[in-house]
Amino acid sequence: MSQSGSPSGARLLLKRLRNIMAQPGTPQTRLDQIVRIIAGDMVAEVCSTYVMRAGQVLELFATEGLKQEAVHQTRLRVGEGLIGDIASHARPLALADAQHHPQFAYRPETGEEVYQSLMGVPILRSGRVLGVLAVQNRTRRHYTEEEVETLETVAMVLAELIISGNVVSQAELAPEEGIAVVAMRLDGTTLAPGIAKGVAVLHQPDITITQLVAEDPLKEIERLDDAMGAMKLALDEMLATTDVAAGGEHREVLETYRMFAEDRGWASRIVEAIESGLTAEAAVQKVQNDTRARMREITDPYLRERLADLDDLANRLQRHLLGQADIQQPRELPDETILVARNMGPAELLDYDRKKLKGVVLEEGTATAHVAIVARALDVPVLGRCHDLMAKVLPGDPLIVDGDNAQLYVRPAEDIQQTYAEAMRQRSERQQAFAAIRHLPAVTLDGTEVTLMINAGLLIDVPQIEAQGAAGIGLYRTEITFMVAQSFPDVARQRDVYKRAMDASNGKPVIFRTLDIGSDKVLSYWQRDSEENPAMGWRAIRISLDRPALLRQQLRALILAAEGRPLSVMFPMVAEAWEFEEARALLKLELDRAAQAGQQVPSAVKVGAMIEVPSLYFQLDTLLDRLDFVSVGSNDLKQFLYAADRGNPRLADRYDTLAPAMMKLLGMIAAAANAQGKSLSLCGEMAGDPIAVMALLCLGFRQLSMAPTSIGPVRAMIRSLDLGRLLSYWAELQARPVSDLRSRLLVFARDHGVAL
Ligand code: PEP
Ligand code: MG
């Protein structure tokens, strides 16, 4: 057992290391001393430090126990061997039988073949791996969790030495030297649309911790308590005063974030780290390192967001501990700032000067990222999932964020800059043109009127009805409210959200789609068995019918929210007519219940189904007389028609939405609904694509629901289209169906002055 498997042992070890750091000496002699001390303290025959060189190779810099001639000779690629594995995953490994691990790579020059056990931890700084610290033992040894923790704490001391001690040149510490000076383009995912140009500002809460080791843990715990208190007060103040937090789910996001400050688990982990000998700020950093390592492992987008919030909070707490809480970071922002971050919490964005903040790029982040929700409220484009972003962008780099095409240009060449300057100019001209026609009807040159509605999921989307001049909300994705909450919203909470959505729509219709959870829409608070094919699994109406209480609560909330106004309810993922029937019966139960209880019931109730499972087409004859409207969910309909996962980027361009099979199916659905005089709409992504809308008009669709930003372009297209002419051309095309419909329509548009 090592001496450092206990908090007091760890404290002693840290003290000894601090003495070394305080004494004169070269970085190399310090490293040599440190590995010797750790080996002795942890009763290990070997202790070695590997340092990352040029962002890709781990070089043995110091060792006690391995052959000295291997120092500065042995190099491992990131991912190579156990050391490379620790670096690539940024996580510790503790192996009693390291030699039989599939990743074990034996280097003869080190003489390590005799050592059976290995425990190694990454040397981390601001989430970046600077190296690896490892101990080895000749015998089979089971390292304890406490020993791993101690080694992690020691690794923090080494991180400081590497960063500040000229162990490797500062230029080498700059990520991926060489790549960083050339222009490049990175692909990402659009989290908020728009185009922005500016200068990279790394959102690295630039906090330098000078004091790692503390003498008196009690004093540090007191400092922590004070800082926690001050931070909570400051957060409350921010929540009370910031205009973005005024209402809607983004307020909920911020409030949930605030609740983390009360998380006992988080606080007690920090206290534990203090007890092992760290200062309060170093303890916060240690817990933050653990959080970041966990974030790398977790794929669940919702949980990752929660951890990102926690990361945000840790930065904030450190600033309070170091008395830097009032400093806006960074102090001097360029006039056009593009924030670059691994991930960031929603509140952090609000620390930046909104006049200067033009765009955000994240290495991580998902569509439901809380920072993206707040950014949308600020109308700032956000790009997420930019692979290797932090390694490739340096502070001060000129950047172009293209949130419309999900691309980031780093140090763009002159021609790209000019192209984008032109694109931004055109974009702003187009926005002005769309704004100018937003109160004009979406009617074709020859008089066909089309109803344009928006898709919404958050209360902040609702004012877009007015901003875009839309006819209402054709799809309100109620699951988003569930996804940003911490636990199942009860009837009162749901009613409040739905009522506010109806109030804000000023009498225009809102079609509420009942809960469409499952598949990629995860609720962190609902543990479910994993499914092999979740998109085709237990989701949406299948869950609602198997757990009727859930659906009934939602329907009850909708009825209450209507307060006597008309109510439209739509059921998702209906595959067979009886599913719709059962769901409608539950609605009737709730309506009767409300009436019997003497409550106000909606003045009119319309009930519809989404057509997004191809099987439903074959039951339209039975279904259509039983409902008031249908809305085609073309995203899922296409996914199931082509058996092609809609979330798989490899398949994104494989099947065109305008390919013959999809066109045929959509045409048959439209013909059946129109023949029965049923209200028909389409609310998938294609409704926002002006060329696809040309085809949809030919197929008989007259109502479309789309992302708010698509209303302008679709309206402009419709108002410049002679539908009669297009229908003649369409008839010609139908005589000999084509596989390149999109390009044919494009040519037609060009020849006939249709605005695309
Ligand atoms: C669809 O499937 O087309 C649809 C509108 O629903 P969602 O995208 O929410 O699955
Ligand atoms: Mg769908």
Side-chain angles (χ1 to χ4, degrees), residues 51-55 125 128-131 159-177 390-391 394:
V51 177
M52 183 80 83
R53 313 241 28 195
R125 172 70 192 223
R128 261 179 53 213
V129 177
L130 301 181
E160 292 308 313
L161 184 65
I162 293 171
I163 280 284
S164 58
N166 297 326
V167 172
V168 290
S169 73
Q170 288 299 321
E172 240 183 302
L173 289 172
E176 302 233 353
E177 194 195 10
M390 302 303 282
L394 296 177

Side-chain angles (χ1 to χ4, degrees), residues 109 120 149 186 373 375 450 481 521 546 648 713:
E109 73 273 15
E149 293 233 325
L186 301 180
I373 291 171
V450 185
T481 299
K521 294 163 183 163
D546 293 355
N648 187 334

Side-chain angles (χ1 to χ4, degrees), residues 228 260-272 287 310:
M228 278 272 196
F260 269 120
E262 304 291 347
D263 188 302
R264 294 238 174 112
W266 185 54
S268 67
R269 285 201 302 280
I270 300 172
V271 170
E272 263 170 40
V287 173
L310 210 50

